[in-house]
Amino acid sequence: MKTRAPRLLLAVLACLPLTAMAQKYENLALTPPMGWNSWNTFAGDIHESVIRQTADAMVANGMRDAGYTYIVIDDTWSQRQRDAQGNLVPDPEKFPLGMKALADYVHERGFKLGLYSCAGPRTCADYPGSWGHEFQDARLFASWGIDYLKYDWCNHGTADARDAYTRIRDALRAAGRPVVLSICEWGQNKPWEWAGAVGHLWRTTGDIYDSYDGRKGWEMGWKRILDLQATLVENVGADGLNKFAGPGRWNDPDMLEVGNPGLSLAESRAHFSFWCLLAAPLMAGNDVRTMTPEIRAILTDRDVIAVNQDPLGKQGFRALAEPAKNLEIWVKELSGGDWAVCALNTGTAPADLTIAWDRLWTIRGPHTVRDLWTKKPAGDTAKPATFRVDSHDVVLLRLTPVKS
Ligand code: GLA
């Protein structure tokens, strides 16, 4: 009896570091993570000089100050085999100075560094994965100063997704460095139902490529992926996946293709608008060293990014689809009673899109309207509004309640 109180105290004290670590871990992505990832443009053709130049470009072009924080090196960064101690080794041709030096470089410029690994024994591009080495790899990543881990799902065999991702989460926590965990099992095991307790973001769908609505085997254009966000979950009407997202837990419809050659400027603008509306992670996937001023303006637009980063953390959803009119309207609730409304022209010619506010039943009461891309006031919600919109382009609006 006498010894119970001190024992209890000791037990509580022993748990404290773990709890503090768990909290640190859980609060890492209270708004959707923003950054850049090497895969969409460079795939296996990466080099540390590209990463350094990308970091420098993101300082000079305003991306860092607009909120892009994580610079993530995707698959193919390591040697083909582990070393004699079982450690992953960066490819000396691609990363001659090693990952610690690269992490120092990006940290000095105000960024965080991300790496890629895989739950299976081999990655999707056939490099060593973390299967059976989770704790060892997490410690190595921590020693290099890695802040973000994209964890893929190739070659997983009979592994259970939830178990495999929980193991790497526990390994990252045990290694003691706060790391954002990006779960990349492509929506195959309904991650929206469990991944919020494991990582910070989870892929919902297969891989994106730079197309509006094309399909190339496993890869899809952004409009197909957008449609899936509304229809993946059965029997939820217009709600789709949005109800599973919130601060610290984000559906990930994959990295951005904004600025890549397969998209027109309008399609890049619409893609960015929708990823902001979906509260999606904003991981630029273009060559930011050489992008045009128009693409830079899209990626760094503060008003549009504010829709994505809104602290309420609500994911938008499709409120209306009228295929006969080539019209889709998506809405996202924002803090302070504001709403974002995004109308897409799905047709192949410019069109007049009419928004009948009373049909967007979730938005109640009178609001003033501002066009976020043109920066112009666009009246109020007292009567329907019509906007001329190019093919595959959007009008993106912010509604603010009229003060009575
Ligand atoms: C998978 C992922 C992609 C990319 C590649 C790398 O396909 O979904 O995002 O990481 O692997 O091999």
Side-chain angles (χ1 to χ4, degrees):
M1 193 65 195
K2 259 189 198 163
T3 53
R4 187 172 277 177
R7 267 208 210 135
L8 201 67
L9 189 66
L10 278 179
V12 170
L13 286 177
C15 287
L16 274 182
L18 204 67
T19 317
M21 189 57 209
Q23 268 174 8
K24 242 204 257 174
Y25 184 84
E26 266 146 24
N27 290 338
L28 283 175
L30 295 178
T31 60
M34 294 175 66
W36 176 89
N37 176 298
S38 58
W39 187 254
N40 286 353
T41 290
F42 297 96
D45 193 16
I46 42 170
H47 192 273
E48 62 180 28
S49 60
V50 171
I51 306 299
R52 284 200 301 267
Q53 289 162 14
T54 295
D56 292 344
M58 288 169 73
V59 174
N61 66 25
M63 284 181 76
R64 180 193 61 186
D65 293 343
Y68 295 85
T69 304
Y70 294 96
I71 296 185
V72 182
I73 305 165
D74 210 284
D75 203 355
T76 79
W77 60 267
S78 78
Q79 288 192 8
R80 289 278 180 185
Q81 304 300 335
R82 291 172 180 269
D83 70 9
Q85 286 72 46
N87 284 320
L88 292 167
V89 185
D91 180 329
E93 306 251 303
K94 293 175 177 171
F95 297 94
L97 298 180
M99 287 303 170
K100 174 77 173 74
L102 192 53
D104 289 346
Y105 189 91
V106 306
H107 289 155
E108 277 158 22
R109 283 152 186 81
F111 296 103
K112 294 181 183 297
L113 190 64
L115 264 191
Y116 164 101
S117 189
C118 185
R122 303 292 291 175
T123 72
C124 298
D126 197 23
Y127 289 74
S130 290
W131 178 253
H133 292 267
E134 292 86 354
F135 284 76
Q136 179 177 14
D137 290 354
R139 282 194 299 273
L140 186 65
F141 297 156
S143 77
W144 289 340
I146 299 302
D147 311 288
Y148 181 111
L149 179 66
K150 174 175 170 181
Y151 204 59
D152 217 333
W153 188 231
C154 279
N155 307 307
H156 57 266
T158 55
D160 173 79
R162 192 174 179 161
D163 287 352
Y165 283 98
T166 302
R167 194 169 327 121
I168 194 67
R169 177 202 66 187
D170 292 346
L172 293 170
R173 280 186 179 167
R177 186 176 171 86
V179 173
V180 170
L181 177 57
S182 156
I183 292 174
C184 182
E185 59 73 83
W186 322 303
Q188 289 188 345
N189 300 275
K190 295 197 176 168
W192 41 89
E193 288 178 355
W194 50 267
V198 180
H200 304 91
L201 56 152
W202 55 86
R203 282 275 295 279
T204 55
T205 25
D207 284 6
I208 198 168
Y209 80 109
D210 57 340
S211 159
Y212 173 68
D213 64 354
R215 173 140 220 156
K216 244 184 9 189
W218 149 258
E219 297 178 350
M220 287 170 285
W222 66 259
K223 176 60 168 66
R224 278 180 190 257
I225 293 180
L226 178 69
D227 289 344
L228 288 170
Q229 308 310 305
T231 56
L232 265 174
V233 180
E234 289 162 60
N235 302 324
V236 287
D239 272 335
L241 292 182
N242 58 301
K243 66 179 177 200
F244 301 99
R249 43 201 299 147
W250 308 105
N251 286 303
D252 176 8
D254 207 357
M255 304 168 297
L256 293 165
E257 293 285 0
V258 172
N260 285 337
L263 297 181
S264 68
L265 187 61
E267 288 166 347
S268 273
R269 179 171 37 243
H271 171 28
F272 192 70
S273 305
F274 276 113
W275 263 229
C276 288
L277 203 98
L278 291 173
L282 296 180
M283 303 303 286
N286 59 324
D287 189 343
V288 298
R289 302 169 307 171
T290 55
M291 64 184 162
T292 63
E294 290 80 10
I295 292 297
R296 170 180 174 265
I298 290 172
L299 286 172
T300 57
D301 190 291
R302 302 288 173 124
D303 294 325
V304 179
I305 291 174
V307 170
N308 178 266
Q309 295 288 302
D310 187 87
L312 206 54
K314 296 267 186 175
Q315 176 174 331
F317 58 93
R318 187 160 64 194
L320 198 88
E322 289 189 306
K325 293 185 182 164
N326 294 325
L327 171 67
E328 277 190 27
I329 302 178
W330 291 63
V331 299
K332 178 186 198 284
E333 190 181 358
L334 304 172
S335 41
D338 282 17
W339 283 84
V341 175
C342 191
L344 170 70
N345 174 5
T346 59
T348 51
D352 289 325
L353 303 184
T354 296
I355 304 179
W357 304 108
D358 52 359
R359 295 191 60 198
L360 307 179
W361 51 270
T362 42
I363 306 176
R364 299 211 175 87
H367 289 70
T368 55
V369 181
R370 183 164 172 263
D371 185 324
L372 292 186
W373 286 117
T374 65
K375 314 292 175 204
K376 291 194 180 125
D380 57 39
T381 54
K383 54 178 185 346
T386 299
F387 301 87
R388 186 83 183 157
V389 179
D390 280 342
S391 161
H392 301 172
D393 206 345
V394 290
V395 58
L396 178 63
L397 307 165
R398 184 171 183 130
L399 276 52
T400 302
V402 175
K403 291 204 178 65
S404 49

